[in-house]
Amino acid sequence: MRHLHSGKVRDLYEVEAGPYAGQLLMVASDRISAFDHVLASTIPDKGEILTRMSLWWFEQLADLVPGHVLSAEVPDVVRGRAVVCERLEMYPVECVARGYLTGSGLLDYRATGEVCGVALPEGLEDGSKLPEPIFTPATKAALGDHDENVSYEAVAAQVGEEVADRLRAVTMRVYATAERIARERGIVLADTKLELGARADGTMVLADEVLTPDSSRFWPADQWQPGRAQPSYDKQIVRNWLLSPESGWDRSSDEPPPPLPAEVVERTRARYLEAYELLTGETW
């Protein structure tokens, strides 16, 4: 395997021999990031949880869009946390679907009444369900930079109207299906970010991770209450601690975040595991 790239969580290698020569090995680490920093602390089993959850979702969505996974048979040293996947031409767009208002979408709405150029009704709050799900794409940022929300028209100008329309259609179909599946299991899928690429013949393929707590906001349905921040199945525990006086970290400084306390690590791991077990019905 030849190392190609390391992101915040995943490491990418080129397979150099065997039946999948020329394809990619994608490894999910236990690293965790927050506020565009990769933390010194890791979350045990996180990479395997994310990989297993993505594989489960790829199966649920197979009738909607092809997935990039070729095999889960990988070297022992990364077994459980890696997949062999297709080499694709990735679209330079973060494909985001939102069914609820929160995060950067809420900030945009409060400033302009819109999210990515989509006008929304007055009076919405943090956690409000939108009248209908919306496509809110973002530009892909380099490591350490923020993705930037953009309009559909900006995407069309970059990739062409036909491709932009397909990206939006696939994203919204995936969100509609995943939102229903999650709701049946007592989870609100507030929003999700997808990565899409193209095969040589132009076939659009779902890639990277899909519908994990790192790429989506999952909320307990029985605790959903608009007008406040929602409890969530993700790394919000980490963000909250880093912003607390206990951490002693100044987000506006150039200093990296401090290591996480063991209790924060364990609570974060437990939330990832709970999301995995609720969604898949499988016991860890």
Side-chain angles (χ1 to χ4, degrees), residues 78-161:
V78 292
R79 190 169 303 281
R81 62 174 60 246
V83 294
V84 177
C85 55
E86 293 184 63
R87 193 167 210 147
L88 303 166
E89 187 69 33
M90 299 302 295
Y91 295 107
V93 180
E94 301 280 6
C95 293
V96 181
R98 300 177 190 269
Y100 294 75
L101 189 63
T102 193
S104 64
L106 177 64
L107 296 178
D108 290 351
Y109 170 78
R110 285 175 171 169
T112 67
E114 301 179 346
V115 181
C116 295
V118 179
L120 295 174
E122 294 182 4
L124 299 181
E125 304 175 291
D126 189 355
S128 288
K129 185 174 183 178
L130 300 177
E132 60 182 11
I134 58 175
F135 180 61
T136 59
T139 57
K140 288 186 179 180
L143 185 63
D145 292 335
H146 289 284
D147 295 338
E148 182 180 348
N149 291 346
V150 296
S151 66
Y152 171 80
E153 288 72 24
V155 173
Q158 185 174 15
V159 300
E161 184 71 40

Side-chain angles (χ1 to χ4, degrees), residues 24-278:
L24 301 174
L25 178 78
M26 188 174 72
V27 182
S29 74
D30 290 342
R31 297 191 296 270
I32 191 165
S33 66
F35 304 117
D36 294 312
H37 291 274
V38 177
L39 306 189
S41 305
T42 58
I43 306 299
D45 299 316
K46 176 173 176 277
E48 188 166 353
I49 295 168
L50 296 182
T51 299
R52 280 205 212 174
M53 191 178 291
S54 286
L55 287 170
W56 185 83
W57 276 115
F58 278 123
E59 288 183 8
Q60 311 308 307
L61 302 169
D63 291 341
L64 291 181
V65 57
H68 73 152
V69 176
L70 296 171
S71 176
E73 292 299 314
V74 296
D76 285 343
V77 69
V78 292
R79 190 169 303 281
R81 62 174 60 246
V83 294
V84 177
C85 55
E86 293 184 63
R87 193 167 210 147
L88 303 166
E89 187 69 33
M90 299 302 295
Y91 295 107
V93 180
E94 301 280 6
C95 293
V96 181
R98 300 177 190 269
Y100 294 75
L101 189 63
T102 193
S104 64
L106 177 64
L107 296 178
D108 290 351
Y109 170 78
R110 285 175 171 169
T112 67
E114 301 179 346
V115 181
C116 295
V118 179
L120 295 174
E122 294 182 4
L124 299 181
E125 304 175 291
D126 189 355
S128 288
K129 185 174 183 178
L130 300 177
E132 60 182 11
I134 58 175
F135 180 61
T136 59
T139 57
K140 288 186 179 180
L143 185 63
D145 292 335
H146 289 284
D147 295 338
E148 182 180 348
N149 291 346
V150 296
S151 66
Y152 171 80
E153 288 72 24
V155 173
Q158 185 174 15
V159 300
E161 184 71 40
E162 181 183 352
V163 170
D165 185 60
R166 289 171 61 206
L167 290 173
R168 178 170 61 184
V170 168
T171 301
M172 301 316 294
R173 284 202 304 270
V174 167
Y175 177 81
T177 298
E179 190 276 334
R180 173 182 54 78
I181 291 172
R183 184 166 18 92
E184 290 169 353
R185 289 156 172 77
I187 292 177
V188 170
L189 173 58
D191 55 45
T192 193
K193 177 182 70 176
L194 306 179
E195 301 271 2
L196 291 157
R199 292 174 179 155
D201 65 2
T203 301
M204 194 169 281
V205 178
L206 188 58
D208 199 51
E209 64 180 325
V210 59
L211 292 153
T212 72
D214 273 13
S215 65
S216 314
R217 283 188 177 90
F218 295 115
W219 300 334
D222 60 358
Q223 298 178 49
W224 171 61
Q225 183 182 324
R228 62 174 174 85
Q230 311 299 314
S232 57
Y233 294 107
D234 61 13
K235 54 190 175 187
Q236 194 59 47
I237 294 166
V238 172
R239 296 189 193 101
N240 291 348
W241 183 81
L242 288 174
L243 295 176
S244 72
E246 184 185 346
S247 78
W249 181 58
D250 179 2
R251 185 181 173 186
S252 63
S253 74
D254 293 330
E255 293 297 315
L260 301 174
E263 183 261 345
V264 173
V265 169
E266 182 49 42
R267 284 173 58 212
T268 303
R269 178 181 180 274
R271 292 301 271 175
Y272 275 80
L273 272 179
E274 187 177 354
Y276 170 80
E277 293 186 337
L278 281 172

